[in-house]
Amino acid sequence: MSLLEEVEMLRRVPLFADIEPAKLKLIAFTSERVTFDPEQYVFHQGDMGDAAYIIMEGDAEVLIDGPGGARAVARVGRNEFVGEIAILCDVPRTASIRARSRVVTLRISKELFFRLLTDFPKMSLTIMRVIAQRLENTTAQLRRVLAEKQGADVELAKPHPVEG
């Protein structure tokens, strides 16, 4: 893919929609293109974050480690941005990303990411909205799980008729 094609692709990513083409060219030029085969991990939950990724082609699943092993909780695809929470908050990765198909990404280093946020305040607002939406989705999933568990606990707590 040429630099111009990468710029056009970046233009379709909501995060970069308001950035002028010359700056998008700089982002494309300074980012690293990384390809992942099916079942290959982009990153693992618990790793320290050193970059964020824009999915340019393919789709991947978001996995969360749990008592029974990793569980898929979402899918991500073309033009989506992943990995930003770990670099924004300086915390270990909150989830793993595993390719479902061949996935082509642009890897944006932590340093470049922060420079973009400084240069383009609108990007910061867009990122906050994305993170807030993800938090809302996570909270809704947690509510469902707790409601299901509470329902199961109620069933277990019902007295059984005494046979006589």
Side-chain angles (χ1 to χ4, degrees):
M1 186 179 288
S2 73
L3 188 61
L4 290 177
E5 289 172 318
E6 286 182 1
V7 168
E8 281 305 310
M9 189 162 285
L10 284 173
R11 203 177 234 171
R12 289 184 223 120
V13 177
L15 190 62
F16 302 120
D18 295 329
I19 297 178
E20 61 195 63
K23 297 286 187 180
L24 290 177
K25 190 181 279 187
L26 179 63
I27 294 168
F29 184 73
T30 56
S31 300
E32 177 186 2
R33 177 186 293 267
V34 184
T35 302
F36 301 90
D37 292 322
E39 303 299 316
Q40 190 176 7
Y41 283 81
V42 176
F43 53 78
H44 291 88
Q45 181 176 336
D47 290 350
M48 287 308 293
D50 60 345
Y53 297 82
I54 298 168
I55 299 176
M56 299 175 64
E57 295 175 24
D59 69 318
E61 55 191 352
V62 179
L63 302 167
I64 302 291
D65 292 339
R71 180 177 180 183
V73 295
R75 285 191 182 172
V76 290
R78 188 179 201 142
N79 299 333
E80 292 196 67
F81 196 59
V82 296
E84 75 286 349
I85 292 173
I87 60 177
L88 276 172
C89 301
D90 236 358
V91 296
R93 301 275 189 200
T94 58
S96 298
I97 303 292
R98 182 173 64 196
R100 291 177 43 81
S101 63
R102 180 177 175 270
V103 172
V104 178
T105 66
L106 274 184
R107 181 184 181 278
I108 299 177
S109 71
K110 186 176 186 174
E111 296 75 28
L112 175 58
F113 185 73
F114 280 114
R115 193 168 356 125
L116 291 170
L117 293 179
T118 302
D119 292 349
F120 303 101
K122 274 186 164 182
M123 249 182 81
S124 298
L125 182 60
T126 302
I127 287 173
M128 281 192 297
R129 286 184 177 143
V130 167
I131 291 172
Q133 183 61 54
R134 289 181 186 170
L135 178 59
E136 174 57 31
N137 292 343
T138 301
T139 302
Q141 286 178 338
L142 182 57
R143 278 191 203 114
R144 279 194 302 275
V145 168
L146 290 174
E148 289 170 10
K149 182 174 176 1
Q150 191 173 25
D153 290 346
V154 169
E155 285 294 317
L156 290 174
K158 281 185 181 177
H160 297 288
V162 179
E163 293 182 24

